[in-house]
Amino acid sequence: MRTTCRTAIEAGDLTFACYSMDQCVTGLLLRNDLLDAVWRESERGLDFVRKTKFRDVADIIVSQQRFIATMQGRTASLSIFSDAQFDESTFEAQLKGDRNPVMICLYWIVKLKTRLLSGDYAEALAAADKAKALLWSSTTEVQLLDYFYYTALTVAALYEKASADEQIRWHDLLTQHREQLREWAENYPPTFADKHTLVSAELARLEGRDLDAMRLYEEAIRAARENGFVQNEGLANELAAQFYLKRGIEKVAHSCFRDARYCYLRWGALGKVKQLDERYPAMEEQAALRSTATIGTSVEQLDLGTVMKASHAVAGEIVQEKLIKTLMMIAVEHAGAERGLLILPHGEELRIAAEARTGRERVEVQLQQASVTPSALPDALLHYVIRTQESVILDDASTQNQFSQDEYVRQQRPGSVLCLPLVKQAKLMGVLYLENNLAPRVFTPKRLAMLELLASQAAISLENTRLYRDLEEREAKIRRLVDANIMGIFIWNLQGEIIEANDAFLHLLGYSREDVVSGRRGWRDLTPAEWRDRDERAVEDLKATGTAQPYQKEFLRKDGSRAPVMIGAATFEGSKNEGVAFVLDLSEQKRAEDERKRAEEALRRAQTELAHVTRVTTLGELTTSIAHEVNQPLGALVNNAGACLRWLTAHNLEEAQRSASLVIADGHRAGEIIGRIRALAKKAPPQKDWLDLNHAISEVVALARSEAQKNRVSLQTQLSNDLPLILGDRIQLQQVILNLLINGIEALSGVSEGPRELWVSSEKVNGIPGESEQEAFEDKSLAETKWTHVLVAVRDSGPGLDLNGIDRLFDAFYTTKSQGMGMGLAISRSIVEAHAGRLWATANVSKGALFQFALPIRYEQNK
Ligand code: ADP
């Protein structure tokens, strides 16, 4: 609820902030926390809720405060909410009209509960009726538990004096309410079992089932105690006491009253304690008579001044060692003990944390960390106290008692022994062991009462010192991180100030502490303009969630340069305006990355350069073939021009015209060949366009054809006529095809027997042959059309490949030719891979080599 409250405030949701404030108080009351502490919490809540002017919620807290004040005995009497500041009837008179029904309903439930506890049953019943009419509004409130529980107890209290009609109605009501409580108890016994059981006990009482009633009272008391419900334990004891008193079982009744009284005392309900004392004065004498009272000496019997002083001394210590010393001194001194031990949990086991001895003049306390051994104290006694969480006095340990057989008791024969638990909210915080070997009956009830009060304060203080120590340790750890200066850390606020910064941060930016911490340079001033928006987004996150996930930004150094950093931040608990940020210097990483980018760029340039060089070299190898290729149309052109002239002389214009068109066609053909060569030889940066691969293949085949003819190689093409367009660099892909063709021709030129054949083919395929289906279908849209790649194959009937070194073919400078450079395949592969495709070699089916490359269709979408 407190987290809800904080989150709501941070998010600016005041409505829910207010709701959670009153829910905190509700929870603490339900848990039976010390009334004093609940009051303080309610004051804080009320203050906030009033400031936000949420009147209905304010009145819910006001009603809860009335309950607390009444129980504490601060109102005019236990039977009324009024005091100097509050008037019950005026308040009740305005619970109508536009007032929130939930608030009104909760008020009547609080009143029902208060009047039941004060014993004003008729008023409690009237309040229950008023609440009932409004229950529809409050079905999600946990106070419903109070309604069912206290209404049932009220009716049970009034039952015996009611009319027969009423009794029938009330019996129904009681069963109904018990059923509701049973359902809850089954759902979650720790919270509801004691309430359900107590109502069951009351029902058993009314139905005359005395034995059941006794068992159920006992069970209700135990369940309440086990779960730390001190108020409900008190009430269960009180009802049990009345039950026994009515039946003349006085001793038991007294014991129940005494326990009830002690519960109310521990809860801080002095008003209720006073009422018990007035109603049952006989209890006190009874208590005083008991020789081994566990609990019970009235507070009044004690020297209150001494108790307060001791209690304050213990409460004031926040350092554990000092607290232990103070506690031991006071305990040993005031109890009249000779020796005292303090046993505290240490991880899983119990250890003796301190030993005190009365010296000649004063008490000596020694802190230690010793294990609990049978030679230090009576083992069985210690375990009994741990188990029952009750104090034990052995008045005369040398006489026969339940611990006589204990090794320590047998050997040491201590005179008086007192062992008492330090308990906070049903949790054992430690055990205090005191002994006096000189005299029996040293630990009187009066001393015990005083020690028990001291013990409950000590339990709280021990817990506090533990929390304080944890806090200190945590802080030390954080300090270590800040001071280690392995990263920059600074404390900021949303106004833009840097409140504190460590050396690493200052060093990174080149500023002195005075420069930034004085407020002269806030974190916004240290941020270049283009990073401010990013910072503001982080601020939004901080406001909404309390943290800003790490992100990269830049700071301005004192010398004006930029510092690239990774920064993350969080607000402090309970503050939305202030927090801490860590800053990691990314300069090194940025430098390395720039370096890497530069290297990549250089590599890419070198590759393009190399591709160009090899292309030109290849073209160079083809000079004679190309010259031949160009010569052909030129020769034809000369012939056709001659023919044209002749036809003109013969005045045959028709034939002359035909020859002239042939001249033009020849000229174009020669021009095209030159154009293609120029394109291939051009040094151009890689550039991707949609291209028709078949067309690109045809152009290269035209270039290589005369080289093939020269080597008596038959060059055949088999191009699929429905290839999709490919996004790629035409020149580079043509270079690949040209390389493969020339390699084929070169391989075939050595063949002396059989045909010299070279085939080029293209087709659409699904996936790259040899790769898994899965990969082929990765792109779902393509999986539907099925075709994912264009496959180009160049096969020859040459001598074939050495299958062992097949992968080395693609290594740079691998060649088997005397004039070879060994770059052709290496460059071809890198070109194909730059197009997200693959190039590979296998043996041809019948004979020779097969080179294939596959390019993805629409690969740019896969990237
Ligand atoms: P180069 O042609 O300069 O040697 P490549 O990288 O183009 O460089 O070829 C590397 C090697 O691969 C060649 O030297 C040859 O041994 C082998 N090779 C390439 N194509 C074929 C082929 N069609 N048949 C047999 N071997 C081939």
Side-chain angles (χ1 to χ4, degrees):
M1 275 306 158
R2 285 180 181 138
T3 310
T4 305
C5 191
R6 204 176 52 241
T7 318
I9 291 175
E10 281 166 10
D13 188 338
L14 295 182
T15 309
F16 274 84
C18 289
Y19 286 152
S20 46
M21 296 261 175
D22 90 63
Q23 291 290 346
C24 278
V25 179
T26 306
L28 294 176
L29 284 176
L30 176 68
R31 208 170 69 173
N32 296 183
D33 271 32
L34 195 68
L35 286 174
D36 215 28
V38 189
W39 177 270
R40 281 196 300 273
E41 178 100 14
S42 74
E43 280 285 90
R44 277 196 297 274
L46 190 57
D47 190 45
F48 178 87
V49 174
R50 279 194 172 138
K51 274 189 195 135
T52 49
K53 303 208 165 49
F54 199 156
R55 188 174 160 220
D56 288 320
V57 174
D59 278 350
I60 294 179
I61 301 182
V62 165
S63 335
Q64 289 168 326
Q65 284 199 335
R66 286 299 97 202
F67 169 71
I68 301 171
T70 311
M71 290 298 122
Q72 287 179 325
R74 295 196 281 118
T75 51
S77 83
L78 200 65
S79 304
I80 193 151
F81 284 153
S82 302
D83 58 16
Q85 285 88 41
F86 184 90
D87 184 67
E88 188 176 293
S89 45
T90 316
F91 184 83
E92 286 178 8
Q94 50 90 49
L95 296 178
K96 59 181 182 214
D98 63 342
R99 300 310 309 276
N100 182 322
V102 178
M103 180 275 292
I104 303 179
C105 181
L106 296 184
Y107 171 78
W108 292 118
I109 294 178
V110 166
K111 185 167 179 184
L112 154 70
K113 170 177 173 176
T114 321
R115 295 298 190 266
L116 178 275
L117 281 164
S118 66
D120 298 297
Y121 304 121
E123 278 189 51
L125 190 64
D129 283 341
K130 292 222 166 76
K132 190 179 177 188
L134 290 170
L135 280 187
W136 55 266
S137 68
S138 306
T139 46
T140 59
E141 307 293 331
V142 75
Q143 283 93 330
L144 227 52
L145 166 63
D146 282 350
Y147 170 78
F148 278 92
Y149 176 65
Y150 290 107
T151 307
L153 297 181
T154 304
V155 164
L158 289 169
Y159 190 88
E160 278 163 340
K161 294 206 178 102
S163 68
D165 272 0
E166 263 172 345
Q167 284 196 342
I168 293 172
R169 253 191 318 117
W170 285 353
H171 192 267
D172 277 357
L173 180 145
L174 274 167
T175 355
Q176 274 169 23
H177 282 220
R178 189 196 51 187
E179 271 312 286
Q180 177 58 74
L181 293 166
R182 184 187 56 75
E183 190 186 314
W184 287 332
E186 278 173 6
N187 266 316
Y188 195 64
T191 300
F192 299 98
D194 69 288
K195 283 100 184 163
H196 166 241
T197 317
L198 186 59
V199 170
S200 304
E202 285 284 273
L203 200 58
R205 168 174 70 81
L206 299 177
E207 289 171 353
R209 293 182 283 115
D210 280 10
L211 271 178
D212 282 348
M214 285 182 206
R215 185 179 52 77
L216 288 164
Y217 283 127
E218 197 65 24
E219 218 175 289
I221 293 166
R222 189 179 42 75
R225 182 171 50 233
E226 277 173 2
N227 295 296
F229 293 117
V230 68
Q231 179 223 316
N232 300 88
E233 187 191 341
L235 184 55
N237 267 308
E238 194 182 347
L239 293 179
Q242 284 164 2
F243 169 87
Y244 288 118
L245 203 61
K246 196 132 190 240
R247 282 155 186 74
I249 311 172
E250 283 197 17
K251 249 180 107 162
V252 182
H254 289 154
S255 139
C256 287
F257 267 125
R258 205 188 52 238
D259 286 356
R261 185 181 182 283
Y262 184 62
C263 284
Y264 291 134
L265 193 63
R266 275 192 295 155
W267 181 37
L270 292 180
K272 180 69 194 169
V273 173
K274 194 161 150 249
Q275 183 203 43
L276 280 188
D277 289 348
E278 281 162 9
R279 282 204 184 156
Y280 313 101
M283 294 308 126
E284 284 322 296
E285 291 141 39
Q286 282 293 329
L289 286 176
R290 285 169 57 92
S291 59
T292 59
T294 49
I295 290 156
T297 306
S298 100
V299 188
E300 290 88 309
Q301 282 193 6
L302 291 173
D303 172 1
L304 270 178
T306 317
V307 175
M308 293 303 280
K309 238 165 69 194
S311 180
H312 273 148
V314 170
E317 292 295 354
I318 45 170
V319 179
Q320 194 172 39
E321 287 70 27
K322 281 196 182 162
L323 168 70
I324 293 177
K325 278 197 169 157
T326 313
L327 170 68
M328 293 307 280
M329 303 265 249
I330 297 175
V332 168
E333 220 164 78
H334 286 76
E338 265 198 296
R339 173 170 175 261
L341 295 175
L342 179 67
I343 292 122
L344 295 179
H346 187 92
E348 289 293 288
E349 57 167 337
L350 288 170
R351 293 251 184 102
I352 299 175
E355 173 158 10
R357 281 179 189 279
T358 343
R360 207 173 282 251
E361 266 158 27
R362 56 198 189 98
V363 181
E364 299 280 349
V365 182
Q366 259 194 346
L367 297 180
Q368 47 183 249
Q369 280 292 342
S371 356
V372 179
T373 53
S375 61
L377 77 165
D379 219 19
L381 175 64
L382 175 66
H383 286 105
Y384 178 86
V385 170
I386 291 169
R387 201 172 60 247
T388 59
Q389 297 200 355
E390 275 175 10
S391 315
V392 171
I393 293 179
L394 302 183
D395 268 338
D396 188 348
S398 55
T399 63
Q400 199 62 28
N401 63 44
Q402 104 184 75
F403 304 106
S404 303
Q405 287 314 305
D406 189 282
E407 191 185 320
Y408 181 88
V409 176
R410 274 193 291 129
Q411 287 183 2
Q412 304 292 326
R413 309 214 147 262
S416 309
V417 166
L418 164 60
C419 192
L420 89 174
L422 310 181
V423 179
K424 180 177 176 254
Q425 282 170 348
K427 195 170 148 219
L428 188 80
M429 308 297 300
V431 175
L432 190 60
Y433 171 83
L434 301 170
E435 66 179 29
N436 190 321
N437 288 336
L438 304 174
R441 278 176 283 283
V442 168
F443 303 120
T444 60
K446 184 172 167 177
R447 282 175 167 168
L448 179 66
M450 134 95 194
L451 284 172
E452 292 209 307
L453 279 178
L454 187 67
S456 63
Q457 181 58 57
I460 295 170
S461 299
L462 277 171
E463 171 81 346
N464 286 346
T465 59
R466 199 180 55 74
L467 293 175
Y468 181 74
R469 201 188 49 215
D470 286 355
L471 198 73
E472 263 192 337
E473 275 171 11
R474 220 169 55 192
E475 210 186 282
K477 281 181 197 155
I478 294 171
R479 261 284 125 212
R480 175 87 189 96
L481 181 66
V482 173
D483 293 344
N485 284 312
I486 35 181
M487 63 174 156
I489 292 176
F490 69 94
I491 294 169
W492 47 264
N493 64 23
L494 287 186
Q495 285 84 334
E497 284 167 338
I498 293 175
I499 298 159
E500 181 63 73
N502 69 350
D503 290 345
F505 180 73
L506 297 168
H507 184 74
L508 172 66
L509 299 190
Y511 279 106
S512 71
R513 181 160 278 107
E514 290 69 49
D515 285 336
V516 291
V517 175
S518 62
R520 253 181 285 154
R521 297 225 186 279
W523 52 269
R524 284 201 178 88
D525 310 319
L526 294 174
T527 303
E530 70 269 27
W531 288 104
R532 302 236 168 106
D533 279 353
R534 181 63 191 86
D535 275 359
E536 287 317 309
R537 262 188 289 144
V539 166
E540 289 310 312
D541 288 348
L542 281 167
K543 282 183 185 160
T545 66
T547 56
Q549 291 303 315
Y551 62 97
Q552 295 193 9
K553 64 169 274 186
E554 285 176 329
F555 274 124
L556 283 169
R557 293 201 184 88
K558 192 171 187 177
D559 63 12
S561 63
R562 304 284 183 101
V565 297
M566 169 80 85
I567 182 166
T571 51
F572 289 132
E573 205 166 330
S575 160
K576 54 179 173 178
N577 187 43
E578 240 181 68
V580 59
F582 77 83
V583 175
L584 278 178
D585 184 2
L586 293 186
S587 312
E588 267 314 307
Q589 281 89 329
K590 269 269 152 22
R591 250 198 300 285
E593 190 171 333
D594 290 349
E595 199 75 12
R596 190 178 55 75
K597 277 198 188 136
R598 267 202 299 280
E600 267 174 13
E601 175 59 21
L603 182 65
R604 211 182 44 73
R605 270 204 308 276
Q607 271 173 345
T608 318
E609 201 73 28
L610 189 61
H612 177 246
V613 170
T614 47
R615 208 154 61 223
V616 175
T617 314
T618 317
L619 287 174
E621 283 167 25
L622 290 180
T623 331
T624 38
S625 305
I626 290 169
H628 176 71
E629 186 82 356
V630 180
N631 271 338
Q632 249 195 343
L634 286 182
L637 186 142
V638 171
N639 282 342
N640 283 324
C644 181
L645 274 181
R646 279 197 303 283
W647 290 120
L648 280 176
T649 327
H651 295 285
N652 188 338
L653 284 184
E654 214 171 298
E655 284 299 323
Q657 226 166 7
R658 209 178 55 82
S659 300
S661 335
L662 287 175
V663 168
I664 293 171
D666 290 335
H668 278 310
R669 227 169 85 211
E672 267 167 31
I673 295 168
I674 306 265
R676 276 178 229 137
I677 293 164
R678 277 186 53 193
L680 274 176
K682 207 164 76 189
K683 188 169 162 188
Q687 181 190 350
K688 290 194 174 146
D689 275 313
W690 289 102
L691 61 100
D692 175 354
L693 207 54
N694 279 345
H695 189 248
I697 295 172
S698 303
E699 281 187 351
V700 179
V701 166
L703 270 186
R705 196 167 289 286
S706 7
E707 181 74 8
Q709 274 165 9
K710 200 175 90 186
N711 289 289
R712 287 182 290 107
V713 170
S714 104
L715 173 54
Q716 295 170 36
T717 53
Q718 202 173 24
L719 305 179
S720 154
N721 52 20
D722 61 347
L723 282 196
L725 295 182
I726 286 288
L727 188 68
D729 184 299
R730 193 168 60 92
I731 296 177
Q732 287 191 346
L733 291 174
Q734 283 185 326
Q735 179 175 1
V736 174
I737 300 161
L738 188 63
N739 272 336
L740 299 179
L741 290 178
I742 298 209
N743 276 348
I745 293 170
E746 280 177 352
L748 285 164
S749 63
V751 172
S752 45
E753 277 167 29
R756 296 180 174 181
E757 284 171 328
L758 186 60
W759 296 271
V760 190
S761 63
S762 69
E763 62 180 314
K764 282 189 301 191
V765 291
N766 180 22
I768 296 178
E771 296 203 344
S772 72
E773 281 286 291
Q774 166 109 29
E775 229 168 305
F777 282 98
E778 237 160 16
D779 184 339
K780 289 278 179 294
S781 64
L782 292 174
E784 276 159 29
T785 59
K786 199 150 169 287
W787 310 115
T788 63
H789 288 78
V790 170
L791 180 73
V792 176
V794 177
R795 70 188 77 208
D796 62 65
S797 59
L801 303 164
D802 172 9
L803 290 179
N804 287 326
I806 209 156
D807 269 331
R808 293 185 52 212
L809 301 182
F810 297 94
D811 291 349
F813 306 116
Y814 174 82
T815 180
T816 55
K817 301 167 193 166
S818 53
Q819 299 297 312
M821 191 157 64
M823 286 307 293
L825 289 177
I827 290 204
S828 296
R829 180 170 263 184
S830 71
I831 289 175
V832 171
E833 284 174 356
H835 284 74
R838 267 190 58 206
L839 166 66
W840 70 102
T842 47
N844 193 12
V845 184
S846 48
K847 152 175 209 281
L850 168 57
F851 284 84
Q852 304 180 80
F853 68 88
L855 299 174
I857 299 172
R858 303 203 323 224
Y859 90 89
E860 87 286 0
Q861 292 182 356
N862 294 338
K863 282 222 286 195

